């Protein structure tokens, strides 16, 4: 999980959301959740609603941590507009731009659902999970919000023991930070979900392979070297100057790393490379790769 890039909506779409939200906020508290659900279900029922959510989806896609990939598990297609604060408990955030991110169906409808945790009272270190039918005791989230928080500070990828689980960051000391990490992992189950963990292992191998390829490209002297390194002669264009072609392949190799799923694995390889024998050597040979993001 990584912090999302931020972006702004057009004034027209921003106003559209504000109007929808005002229709919810004008009701008494007990009526808001039902109204929020109805308005959300019908959000594309008008021309203006359709246009607004097309723009919202487009911008959220651009904000994804990797190409249209779920911002929670970093594996599946980012198909759903997910409310970080669930609209069931926080209807006053149903049409709030800052409360959206794209997630996959599995994360959104099988794990997150309307689960959430908050600190109660606000500002304390005591976190409680939301209970259906009860009003939230505060809106002080005990959940990592990747629109504003840097998840890498809260949870760490277990690279040194090769499990590739996500766990509470060992450097945390503030009980509030520990609670945020704990409830995020508990609710999303992204730390140990088997399919996600296996995909992270494959991503780690891919990134190592591409780093080695990049390293080989640095030492390439001939077109034959390039063909051998990229393992496909058709990819090498001998009509281009050798240096131009070598540079093009270096850029393509770097792009293949940055466009791959599981960008957290890549970021953690950079952050933890000193503790990882094989990876440490690769980054020491190519320190520029420590800055690729
Ligand atoms: Zn997901």
């Amino acid at each position: 999980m990584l912090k999302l890039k931020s972006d702004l909506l057009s004034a027209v779409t921003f106003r559209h959301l504000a109007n929808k939200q005002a229709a919810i906020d004008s009701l008494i508290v007990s009526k808001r959740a039902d109204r929020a659900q109805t308005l959300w279900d019908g959000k594309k029922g008008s021309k203006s609603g359709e246009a607004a959510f097309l723009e919202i989806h487009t911008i959220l896609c651009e904000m994804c941590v990797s190409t249209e990939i779920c911002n929670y598990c970093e594996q599946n297609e980012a198909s759903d507009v997910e409310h970080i604060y669930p609209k069931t408990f926080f209807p006053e955030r149903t049409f709030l731009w800052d409360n959206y991110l794209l997630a996959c169906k599995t994360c959104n409808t099988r794990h997150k659902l309307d689960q959430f945790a908050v600190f109660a009272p606000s500002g304390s270190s005591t976190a409680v999970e939301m209970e259906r039918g009860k009003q939230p005791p505060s809106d002080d989230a005990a959940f990592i919000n990747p629109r504003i928080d840097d998840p890498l500070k809260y949870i760490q990828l277990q690279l040194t023991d090769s499990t590739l689980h996500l766990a509470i960051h060992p450097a945390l000391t503030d009980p509030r930070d520990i609670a945020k990490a704990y409830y995020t992992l508990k609710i999303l189950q992204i730390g140990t979900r088997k399919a996600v963990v296996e995909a992270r292992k494959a991503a780690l191998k891919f990134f190592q392979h591409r780093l080695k390829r990049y390293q080989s490209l640095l030492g390439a002297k001939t077109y034959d070297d390039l063909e051998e390194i990229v393992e496909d002669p058709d990819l090498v264009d001998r009509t281009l100057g050798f240096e131009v072609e070598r540079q093009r392949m270096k850029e393509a190799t770097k792009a293949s790393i940055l466009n791959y799923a599981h960008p957290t694995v890549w970021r953690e390889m950079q952050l933890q490379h000193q503790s990882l024998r094989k990876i440490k050597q690769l980054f020491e040979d190519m320190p520029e790769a420590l800055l690729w993001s």
Side-chain angles (χ1 to χ4, degrees), residues 6-284:
S6 56
D7 214 336
L8 295 173
L9 292 175
S10 69
V12 173
T13 298
F14 193 80
R15 267 200 306 278
H16 179 86
L17 290 183
N19 288 337
K20 292 284 174 196
Q21 192 58 57
I24 297 167
D25 296 348
S26 64
L27 301 173
I28 58 168
V29 171
S30 61
K31 302 272 186 202
R32 288 179 187 170
D34 285 348
R35 186 70 181 140
Q37 187 63 55
T38 304
L39 288 176
W40 184 254
D41 290 343
K43 62 186 179 296
K44 295 182 192 167
S46 64
K47 274 215 159 103
S48 59
E50 199 175 346
F53 275 87
L54 179 63
E55 180 186 327
I56 286 165
H57 197 271
T58 303
I59 296 179
L60 286 175
C61 275
E62 289 164 5
M63 288 164 56
C64 280
V65 293
S66 190
T67 314
E68 297 190 25
I69 217 83
C70 173
N71 292 292
Y72 288 146
C73 69
E74 299 185 345
Q75 181 179 353
N76 305 320
E77 185 183 358
S79 52
D80 295 6
V81 177
E82 137 81 357
H83 292 86
I84 301 164
Y85 282 79
K87 60 186 178 306
T88 322
F89 294 109
F90 300 94
E92 66 280 5
R93 292 173 189 254
T94 304
F95 290 96
L96 208 63
W97 166 237
D98 291 345
N99 195 34
Y100 299 158
L101 57 73
L102 288 186
C104 71
K105 285 252 176 298
T106 305
C107 286
N108 189 26
T109 61
R110 200 183 301 167
H111 295 285
K112 175 89 168 4
L113 303 159
D114 57 1
Q115 294 192 85
F116 205 62
V118 294
F119 293 103
S122 180
S124 75
S125 302
T126 308
V128 292
E129 284 187 80
M130 301 285 92
E131 284 182 62
R132 287 200 183 144
K134 288 193 179 172
Q135 288 297 320
S138 86
D139 64 355
D140 183 9
F143 187 87
I144 299 166
N145 181 343
R147 292 285 302 260
I148 52 175
D149 297 321
D150 179 0
L152 290 172
K153 291 184 177 162
Y154 295 90
I155 50 183
Q156 187 184 58
L157 183 67
Q158 305 299 285
L159 270 172
T160 48
D161 67 4
S162 304
T163 60
L164 272 73
H165 290 176
L166 291 174
I168 297 171
H169 201 296
L172 293 183
T173 53
D174 183 337
R176 283 176 56 89
D177 293 341
I178 293 169
K180 280 174 86 163
Y182 171 79
Y183 283 105
T184 303
L185 292 171
K186 180 173 187 268
I187 289 168
L188 294 175
Q189 295 287 308
I190 48 173
T192 53
R193 269 156 60 189
K194 204 167 177 209
V196 177
V197 169
E198 289 306 312
R200 278 191 210 124
K201 288 179 180 172
L204 176 63
K205 280 189 184 159
F206 175 83
F207 293 136
Q208 284 178 279
H209 176 267
R210 291 302 162 112
L211 273 179
K212 284 178 192 159
R213 172 181 286 190
Y214 193 89
Q215 188 181 37
S216 301
L217 286 168
L218 291 177
K221 300 267 191 298
T222 65
Y223 289 107
D224 288 345
D225 289 345
L226 296 181
E227 284 184 2
E228 197 179 319
I229 291 163
V230 298
E231 298 159 5
D232 183 354
D234 293 341
L235 291 177
V236 179
D237 185 347
R238 287 176 182 252
T239 66
L240 295 173
F242 173 76
E243 265 314 314
V244 172
E245 184 60 347
R246 190 169 75 121
Q247 191 58 30
R248 190 178 72 87
M249 297 203 149
K250 281 166 59 187
E251 289 303 321
T253 303
K254 176 182 171 183
S256 71
I257 288 175
L258 297 181
N259 292 326
Y260 198 75
H262 298 285
T264 294
V265 175
W266 171 248
R267 290 287 295 122
E268 291 280 25
M269 283 169 67
Q270 292 174 314
L271 288 170
Q272 298 183 46
H273 74 280
Q274 293 285 4
S275 315
L276 307 161
R277 191 176 52 81
K278 285 186 199 163
I279 294 166
K280 181 184 177 193
Q281 191 60 55
L282 286 167
F283 280 117
E284 281 181 356

